[in-house]
Amino acid sequence: MANSTVALRAYRDGLHLIIRPHLSITEVEAAIQQEISRMNRSLAGASVQIDLKSPTLKEAEIEFLSSKLKETYDLTVRGVEVADEPVAPPIAAAPTTHVISQTTDTVNPRDSEPSRIVPYTIRSGQTEEFPQGSLIIYGDVNSGGEVRAGGDIVVLGTLRGSAYAGANGRLSAVIIAMDFAPLQLQIGTHMNRSSVNQEPRGYPEIARIGADDIIIVEKFVKF
Amino acid sequence: MGKVIVVTSGKGGVGKTTSTANLGTALALLDKTVAVVDADVGLRNLDIVMGLESRIVYTSMDVIEKQCELSKALVRDRRVDGLMLLAASQKNNKDDIQPEQMKAICDKLRTTHDFVLIDSPAGIERGFSNASAGADEAIVVTTPDVSAIRDADRIIGLLQNARIEPINLVINRFSPQLVGNGSMMDQADVLDILNIDLIGVVPEDSAVITSTNRGIPLVYEDGSPGAQAYMRIARRLTGQRIPIHSFEQKGLLNNIVNWFTRKR
Ligand SMILES: Nc1ncnc2c1ncn2[C@@H]1O[C@H](COP(=O)(O)OP(=O)(O)OP(=O)(O)O)[C@@H](O)[C@H]1O
Ligand SMILES: [Mg+2]
């Protein structure tokens, strides 16, 4: 699985556009177009930070890119950073209840939802659905397999397939997996296909809707 | 009462026919009575790989249509005792046979043979349901690449739904060199996804191709890594406990690298 040349990722502080080294400006432009069309939703009005994995693009080229992003996609560049690694969000300082505390109701919406335990692995071609509430999978969800839940989805193994949470419209729904490398994620009507890992990172991760209505994926520490 | 084992994969061309021919022959060399059944109706080739194509007179279709007795349709392999082939019809297609008809054939064969190996066609449709209809157990063959593995995963789900177990895995065309330089999945990666028991790893071996072309299953001429791998799998099928041979490159440096790059 080759690393793509340009990756659009949603971190806690918003969108990041990660550009890998040794690319010409034309290659970058083409890759950006491809990556943005993969997002499957309009990014108009959003802001993005450019993370250069090494300083291969000249300043004038970055200027050019910024105006191009504004013109073509209505994306505002809020900053440019040169880093060896994509600038990851500071995990420890994460206000983990951020999204949940946004909801105005004081009762925990999960209290009124049933949940179902699935004590096996969901294999390619299989679908597990539970529109009434949350799903807990005691196994993996393999590539080509699918889980759909009205509420949360918790995978106690590796998530490699597709997960659709919050189908009942609860936007605080989350997707948690011990090893997180899904093909596709959806929470409510929010889709995400680009800011997910291709390889598990070796720690549990959680996906939820963050600022800008974009699905963010981060290390799962506690709820 | 013998065991009926379907050899299947989902994806085409990963080595089902090669595995059926070699395991069938290997089991016969281990003094078992074996019937190998080609279930790839319309695209038969188990007879060619076994070098028996010139001797086919009747097929499973003739048995189903009551044109001949099952015992008459079985072709005896003269190179080893106790090995028989039931060929598939080349003129018909997979929809001309019902799963119950295949099951009836399997149920008869198991009364006269220790092992009945069914060579399944690729795919998940009728051909697969016919091939697995009479099976007690399954051998899933995969190559170590993502698309074959995803198809194997799909097939494993279908076999589990059909309550066929155990389901054992053969990883075919394994290349230690490619794993060593990081361009092929290793054994652990494959097992991590498929999560079934591994019964053997068959290396990429050019002797397989020459043996296919000559119609002499590899295991007749011991010595090649592929032949040895199939002999070990056959022994495991007979209940012998022998450790899985690791083709992965040893060497101190490799072990250290593996230790550091291991996922968990
Ligand atoms: N271990 C191996 N090393 C080298 N070549 C191999 C190996 N196993 C199989 N092959 C080659 O791969 C090709 C496909 O093998 P085979 O016909 O057994 O696959 P199959 O799964 O039965 O295919 P189909 O789905 O078409 O029935 C053949 O040419 C065979 O010689
Ligand atoms: Mg075949």
Side-chain angles (χ1 to χ4, degrees), chain A residues 92-110:
Chain A
T96 42
T97 51
H98 177 68
V99 173
I100 294 147
S101 59
Q102 268 187 347
T103 54
T104 43
D105 46 335
T106 47
V107 293
N108 180 356
R110 289 174 180 82

Side-chain angles (χ1 to χ4, degrees), chain B residues 228-261:
Chain B
Q228 291 174 4
Y230 278 120
M231 281 313 297
R232 283 192 295 267
I233 298 173
R235 287 183 195 283
R236 291 185 194 109
L237 284 173
T238 65
Q240 290 183 34
R241 287 164 179 266
I242 34 180
I244 300 280
H245 182 87
S246 173
F247 290 94
E248 282 166 32
Q249 277 169 350
K250 300 251 163 54
L252 185 60
L253 183 64
N254 249 297
N255 280 340
I256 293 172
V257 171
N258 286 344
W259 195 84
F260 278 110
T261 54

Side-chain angles (χ1 to χ4, degrees), chain B residues 36-38 58-60 63 70 73-75 84-88 105 109:
Chain B
V36 291
V37 179
D38 194 342
Y58 298 109
T59 67
S60 52
V63 178
L70 177 57
L74 293 173
V75 175
M84 308 269 203
L85 165 73
L86 179 60
I105 291 179
L109 287 174

Side-chain angles (χ1 to χ4, degrees), chain A residues 200-219:
Chain A
R201 290 180 199 273
Y203 48 76
E205 290 183 274
I206 178 169
R208 61 164 143 240
I209 300 177
D212 285 344
D213 281 351
I214 286 171
I215 295 182
I216 57 173
V217 178
E218 60 197 344
K219 185 170 184 172

Side-chain angles (χ1 to χ4, degrees), chain A residues 168-190:
Chain A
N168 60 15
R170 176 163 69 75
L171 294 184
S172 61
V174 297
I175 300 167
I176 301 172
M178 293 304 115
D179 282 300
F180 201 93
L183 223 51
Q184 271 189 31
L185 296 177
Q186 189 174 331
I187 298 177
T189 53
H190 300 273

Side-chain angles (χ1 to χ4, degrees), chain A residues 1-221:
Chain A
M1 270 167 259
N3 272 333
S4 57
T5 48
V6 165
L8 201 54
R9 302 223 156 185
Y11 290 135
R12 177 170 300 281
D13 62 343
L15 280 176
H16 285 231
L17 186 66
I18 300 154
I19 300 175
R20 298 191 194 285
H22 315 301
L23 290 176
S24 72
I25 184 79
T26 28
E27 286 170 311
V28 170
E29 262 194 86
I32 288 176
Q33 202 221 320
Q34 222 183 2
E35 184 72 3
I36 287 182
S37 62
R38 247 160 53 97
M39 280 297 270
N40 214 37
R41 66 192 284 276
S42 165
L43 296 172
S47 78
V48 66
Q49 158 151 344
I50 296 181
D51 296 340
L52 289 173
K53 290 199 76 179
S54 73
T56 40
L57 293 185
K58 294 191 206 69
E59 213 158 295
E61 291 175 325
I62 296 171
E63 284 284 295
F64 169 78
L65 210 60
S66 305
S67 58
K68 196 84 191 189
L69 284 171
K70 184 77 200 166
E71 233 168 73
T72 324
Y73 309 104
D74 191 18
L75 263 176
T76 311
V77 174
R78 64 170 185 279
V80 179
E81 274 198 37
V82 179
D84 288 337
E85 281 299 312
V87 186
I91 299 294
T96 42
T97 51
H98 177 68
V99 173
I100 294 147
S101 59
Q102 268 187 347
T103 54
T104 43
D105 46 335
T106 47
V107 293
N108 180 356
R110 289 174 180 82
D111 284 350
S112 58
E113 277 176 9
S115 54
R116 214 182 100 202
I117 288 170
V118 179
Y120 45 81
T121 285
I122 317 296
R123 296 185 182 272
S124 173
Q126 299 177 334
T127 302
E128 200 63 53
E129 252 181 301
F130 190 57
Q132 299 88 334
S134 299
L135 270 176
I136 304 161
I137 317 287
Y138 287 7
D140 302 337
V141 177
N142 278 352
S143 168
E146 208 176 280
V147 278
R148 295 176 171 273
D152 301 336
I153 292 171
V154 179
V155 180
L156 291 167
T158 308
L159 173 59
R160 303 183 186 89
S162 306
Y164 305 122
N168 60 15
R170 176 163 69 75
L171 294 184
S172 61
V174 297
I175 300 167
I176 301 172
M178 293 304 115
D179 282 300
F180 201 93
L183 223 51
Q184 271 189 31
L185 296 177
Q186 189 174 331
I187 298 177
T189 53
H190 300 273
M191 295 262 286
N192 173 313
R193 268 188 275 182
S194 56
S195 74
V196 294
N197 332 325
Q198 298 194 319
E199 288 278 327
R201 290 180 199 273
Y203 48 76
E205 290 183 274
I206 178 169
R208 61 164 143 240
I209 300 177
D212 285 344
D213 281 351
I214 286 171
I215 295 182
I216 57 173
V217 178
E218 60 197 344
K219 185 170 184 172
F220 177 65
V221 185

